[in-house]
Amino acid sequence: MINQNDHEQNRMVSPQENSEEAAFEKSLRPKKLTDYIGQNKVKKNLEIFMQAAQKRGEPIEHVMLHGCPGLGKTTLAHIIANEMSGNIKVTTGPTIERTGDLAAILTNLEDGDILFIDEIHRLNKIIEEVLYPAMEDFALDIIIGKGPSAKTLRLDLPKFTLIGATTRMSLISAPLRDRFGATFKLDFYHDQDIETIIKRNAEILTTAIDSAASSQIAKRARKTPRVANRLLKRVRDFAEVKADGKITETLAKQALNMLEIDELGLDEIDRKILTTLITKFSGGPIGLNTLAAATNEEMESLEDVYEPFLIQLGFLNRTPRGRMATKLAFTHLGFTPKTNQNQNNLL
Ligand code: ADE
């Protein structure tokens, strides 16, 4: 049986990274902030933040990066490490299972190192508490013994920088949030920036691509670099097999149509979600759990993976009474919009 996670992983436009493409993505990753395309506000602030620390001769303060999957949080963490000339150690919230795991990571760091914790919202509460003195005082508190005779031993840690990344800022506790010197939010990219990323990456891959072809791929890449890179890779395969390897507009369109990704980047699952909402629930409002049951998707995947892009497109609204399909969604999928619908953004 295919589980939900496999389902999501096999999806051509999933913003989640699958294991094979990690190496591919790594090879395309920009190393300097000036090569990082888009997210101008973040770049400007980050540049000042890094320069100020460099002037003081100190490591930068802890940084929190948040935004939807695939927008380049990991890439940015590597860039920060590179620009600050520090080593980067990468881990994830769910893989740190015991306080001892975190203690081992922290005691192996050196001054100026970057510790990158992806999915930091999934860190267990007890482990999170070990992070507080580590972040604030560069100290690790070890409790020796039990009961009334228990003692706390404080170990000094090197002056490191923690970079936390999360797709769910609302799940970060206030004490953890407050210990970050800066928080940067990554937004969905403009299509123009996605197009530039595609052109840059095609060049790195030594694949010839027309401007019109990169524009076609960009339009369907859900404003997400990871999706753009995956589509580029598939279109490149298609060009190598069906033609001479050069990606033209016609060829890109053929490849993308074969992958059943429409001109806005919606795939079969997006269409299923919206069609279910429209045909079974008259466009909503409907609760998240009902929508999950009716579409056979997990609530968490709906919230974190599918919905953000549908909301961004203006196809779905999260209202206090539940999810609603907008007039734009009705029209895009070929349904007649309801005339008496109280859809605040479009009617
Ligand atoms: N790869 C992932 N995100 C990127 C970005 N913002 N610029 C260039 N390449 C990227």
Side-chain angles (χ1 to χ4, degrees), residues 266 274-275 277-278 310 313-316 324-335 337 343 346:
L266 300 191
L274 292 173
T275 307
L277 194 50
I278 291 169
L310 295 175
L313 280 181
F315 280 5
L316 187 101
M324 291 184 80
T326 64
K327 186 179 168 187
L328 273 182
F330 275 75
T331 315
H332 182 73
L333 292 172
F335 296 101
Q343 288 174 340
L346 294 158

Side-chain angles (χ1 to χ4, degrees), residues 28-30 35-39 70-72 75 189 197 200-201 225-226 229:
L28 299 176
R29 208 176 263 159
D35 293 334
Y36 190 82
I37 295 152
Q39 309 290 349
L71 296 183
T75 303
Y189 287 65
I197 292 173
R200 174 187 182 273
N201 292 346
R226 180 176 296 150
N229 289 344

Side-chain angles (χ1 to χ4, degrees), residues 177-307:
R177 208 173 50 216
D178 291 348
R179 284 171 168 83
F180 287 93
T183 296
F184 299 108
K185 179 176 187 292
L186 300 189
D187 290 318
F188 282 113
Y189 287 65
H190 299 293
D191 284 354
Q192 187 57 52
D193 289 333
I194 293 289
E195 201 177 321
T196 312
I197 292 173
I198 292 170
K199 286 179 179 161
R200 174 187 182 273
N201 292 346
E203 203 176 313
I204 297 172
L205 297 167
T206 62
T207 299
I209 186 165
D210 281 356
S211 203
S214 36
S215 160
Q216 275 301 324
I217 300 173
K219 268 198 253 165
R220 305 194 209 197
R222 305 172 79 88
K223 306 181 189 299
T224 305
R226 180 176 296 150
V227 177
N229 289 344
R230 185 179 304 141
L231 295 183
L232 173 63
K233 197 172 160 196
R234 292 300 303 268
V235 176
R236 180 184 65 155
D237 289 348
F238 191 87
E240 281 170 5
V241 173
K242 299 276 186 198
D244 59 359
K246 181 173 160 57
I247 304 177
T248 60
E249 184 181 18
T250 317
L251 204 130
K253 276 187 180 165
Q254 278 173 3
L256 292 162
N257 288 339
M258 209 178 75
L259 297 169
E260 294 188 22
I261 301 160
D262 76 16
E263 67 281 8
L264 291 179
L266 300 191
D267 71 355
E268 207 196 308
I269 303 179
D270 300 303
R271 288 191 287 267
K272 178 178 75 178
I273 293 166
L274 292 173
T275 307
T276 304
L277 194 50
I278 291 169
T279 58
K280 292 197 179 151
F281 304 103
S282 317
I286 188 74
L288 176 66
N289 50 358
T290 310
L291 185 59
T295 53
N296 200 24
E297 297 294 335
E298 282 181 350
M299 284 205 289
E300 207 187 14
S301 311
L302 278 181
E303 266 197 303
D304 288 1
V305 179
Y306 306 113
E307 288 187 348

Side-chain angles (χ1 to χ4, degrees), residues 75-96:
T75 303
L76 212 46
H78 279 86
I79 289 176
I80 295 172
N82 187 47
E83 299 270 3
M84 298 302 294
S85 313
N87 295 314
I88 183 165
K89 304 273 163 66
V90 178
T91 184
T92 73
T95 53
I96 307 175

